Each structure stands twice: as C-alpha cells, then as structure tokens.
Amino acid sequence: MSRIKIFADSTSDLPKEWIHQYDIGIVPLYAVFGDESLKDGVDIVPEELYQRVKTEGRLPKTAAPSPADFMACFGPYIDEGYDILFISLSSELSSTYQNALLAASEYPDGRVTVFDSLNLSTGIGLQVIKAVRAVEEGLTVPEIVHRLTQIRPQVDTEFVIDTLDYLYMGGRCSGMQNLIGSLLKIRPVIKVTDGKMTPAYKVRGKREKAMDQMLSNALSKTNEMDKDIIIVVHSMCEDDALYLQRVLQEKTNAKEVVLATAGCVISSHCGPKTIGIIYTKSY
C-alpha cells in the first residue's frame, strides 16, 4: 500500500501543533508589497503585516503559489513514493486550486490529487484534520476524497470583522460604507457559502455584542454539531478567543475546542481582531 502525504496551503491556518503532530505539508501563499513577495507564515507573520500596513498605509496584494511552487513542495515526496492529497483554499476565492491542478498534471495519474475545500482559514483546516485521521484509519486517497466530499458542505464557517478599514482598503466596501460603519459601530459577520465569503448579517454596537451573537448562533446548532472538533480562529485577539473556547467547551461537550491563529492572507483581507467559530455539522 502506498504512503499518503497530506498537504494544505497556508490559508488553512492550522495550529502549529497539528502541522508537526500529523506531518502536514504546507504550501504558502504570498503577501505582496510592491515588488516584494513574502511567503505567508515564512517571510512574514500577521504582527509584521499589520505594522507594515500601519506604516505604509496600504494593504498587500495576495497571490497564489505558482505551479512551480507546488512542484517544489510535492516533488521530494513523490520521489520517496508518497501519493499526495492537497486540500486547497476555495477555488471561488483564489487561483491556488487551479495552479495545484496544473502541478498535479505534471505527475503520473493518481500521484497528486487536488481537493477543493470550498472554504477558507480553519474551514479548510477542519477538512485537513479529517483527512489526516482518515489516513491513520488506512483509507486510500479516493476513499478520503469521498469522505471529504460528504464533510465539505457541512462545514460552518462564521467570522466577526471588527473594523471595516481593511475591507475598504481592499476595495470590498466603499468609503461611505466605511464611514457610516465606523460612526455607527457596525460590525459585519461573514459566512462562507458555496465557497464564497458572503455577508451574513451586521451587528451594531460593542464588539462583545457581535461575538456573543456569533456564539449564540453556534450554540443554537449544538444538536447538529459533530462533537469531534470545534475551532476558534482569531487575528490578534487571543483573550476573546480564549473566552469563546471556554464557553464552547462548557456548552457543547466537544472532544476538542481548538484555538488557531489567522495567517497573513486572511488577516490582510479582514483585519485585526477578526474572530471566527468553525465546526462541522454531523454528516
């Protein structure tokens, strides 16, 4: 039986402990400041990104790994006899998936399989950890893909964005929307639907109100949850994440409520103090 190596891209925001424990390969995306292309999580981390945005007054562009980048990561494992399963950032949000397919086409059929998570951040990460555990069960790549296809539509990904500034700088809301949102203290809540980021609702008032609404939404689905893993992901707001982790652990009796930190790509789109709850409904 061939060995299987699971890969994901850096937007999966996997906790470092998982990456090391399960030997998960990570292909970084890029944060691009002018002519400078920096690998997410390798050349730059969110704290540094936020400092540069503050200093330079502009957001970086983000870029997918090239087919050559993928081949540089995959090649050594192919040479060692591994089959590879790469779980990608949503094809609706990035060319990462398409570039991975181009890289896969350079290898014999079946050696590299590319799976579209139709998600982002730890919405990908949840699918990655399910794949890793399926490898441990002895499943083949086609069997793992079949399982992921069942899991994928059941992943619930919801984020509270603290400031509209990054959405404005990134061209995803107008100056007037940013001004009104700031004056009225409006905090948008984003869900992932069919692989796309979609505005779910807006909460007016204190940040805690928006977080509690998101928490309430998750707890209302407790009976539908797969209690294996819930993930709280955040960008520079660990205390808030610890609070959500504690309440979710008490109220859901999940086996694990895991903290994760958003990387540079997610942070550059959503900004500091973004926080999310991600779980899988029973499938």
Side-chain angles (χ1 to χ4, degrees):
M1 182 179 294
S2 63
R3 294 179 293 173
I4 299 170
K5 173 78 173 182
I6 302 296
F7 271 88
D9 59 65
S10 61
T11 65
S12 58
D13 296 336
L14 288 160
K16 287 185 172 60
E17 311 87 76
W18 278 0
I19 293 172
H20 296 309
Q21 179 180 351
Y22 298 110
D23 192 27
I24 300 164
I26 300 294
V27 184
L29 273 75
Y30 291 91
V32 183
F33 288 92
D35 296 329
E36 190 178 9
S37 293
L38 303 169
K39 289 183 176 180
D40 179 15
V42 178
D43 302 323
I44 188 169
V45 295
E47 296 89 335
E48 296 166 333
L49 179 139
Y50 289 138
Q51 186 57 50
R52 287 195 65 161
V53 171
K54 183 177 179 181
T55 301
E56 300 179 19
R58 59 172 178 165
L59 290 180
K61 295 179 179 179
T62 56
S66 68
D69 288 331
F70 281 108
M71 293 178 72
C73 293
F74 295 162
Y77 292 93
I78 293 292
D79 292 343
E80 290 180 21
Y82 284 88
D83 288 338
I84 289 170
L85 173 58
F86 172 70
I87 301 171
S88 171
L89 171 63
S90 174
S91 60
E92 297 286 346
L93 301 173
S94 169
S95 60
T96 298
Y97 174 72
Q98 293 297 334
N99 288 354
L101 285 177
L102 289 172
S105 69
E106 296 296 319
Y107 299 103
D109 286 348
R111 297 304 308 278
V112 178
T113 300
V114 181
F115 183 79
D116 186 354
S117 75
L118 290 178
N119 221 299
L120 53 76
S121 188
T122 48
I124 309 167
L126 262 181
Q127 296 177 61
V128 172
I129 200 67
K130 295 288 188 181
V132 167
R133 291 179 176 175
V135 172
E136 292 180 339
E137 290 176 35
L139 272 63
T140 65
V141 170
E143 289 169 335
I144 297 169
V145 168
H146 176 72
R147 180 176 291 185
L148 291 177
T149 303
Q150 294 176 305
I151 293 169
R152 179 170 59 189
Q154 305 304 325
V155 178
D156 192 292
T157 303
E158 188 167 315
F159 289 89
V160 172
I161 294 178
D162 188 58
T163 173
L164 295 177
D165 290 347
Y166 276 62
L167 294 177
Y168 168 61
M169 285 191 285
R172 288 176 289 276
C173 77
S174 69
M176 184 59 70
Q177 287 172 320
N178 187 32
L179 175 61
I180 293 172
S182 298
L183 290 174
L184 298 180
K185 296 183 179 178
I186 292 173
R187 291 174 171 83
V189 179
I190 304 296
K191 287 187 75 73
V192 176
T193 306
D194 297 327
K196 301 174 183 176
M197 293 174 63
T198 58
Y201 54 93
K202 297 175 183 177
V203 179
R204 181 177 173 183
K206 292 183 178 181
R207 167 183 170 76
E208 290 76 15
K209 182 180 176 182
M211 281 202 312
D212 285 342
Q213 180 62 60
M214 179 176 64
L215 178 61
S216 176
N217 291 345
L219 292 176
S220 71
K221 303 288 179 60
T222 299
N223 291 336
E224 302 173 31
M225 283 182 182
D226 170 15
K227 300 298 197 306
D228 189 24
I229 300 170
I230 301 170
I231 302 178
V232 178
V233 62
H234 71 94
S235 184
M236 308 293 287
C237 53
E238 186 174 10
D239 287 346
D240 292 333
L242 287 167
Y243 161 72
L244 293 180
Q245 181 191 37
R246 183 175 66 255
V247 175
L248 286 164
Q249 191 72 73
E250 290 172 356
K251 301 289 188 181
T252 67
N253 294 315
K255 291 180 184 176
E256 291 184 272
V257 181
V258 177
L259 290 189
T261 303
C264 289
V265 172
I266 299 301
S267 296
S268 70
H269 287 287
C270 297
K273 295 189 177 181
T274 294
I275 192 164
I277 297 173
I278 294 89
Y279 61 90
T280 306
K281 297 172 189 173
S282 298
Y283 55 92

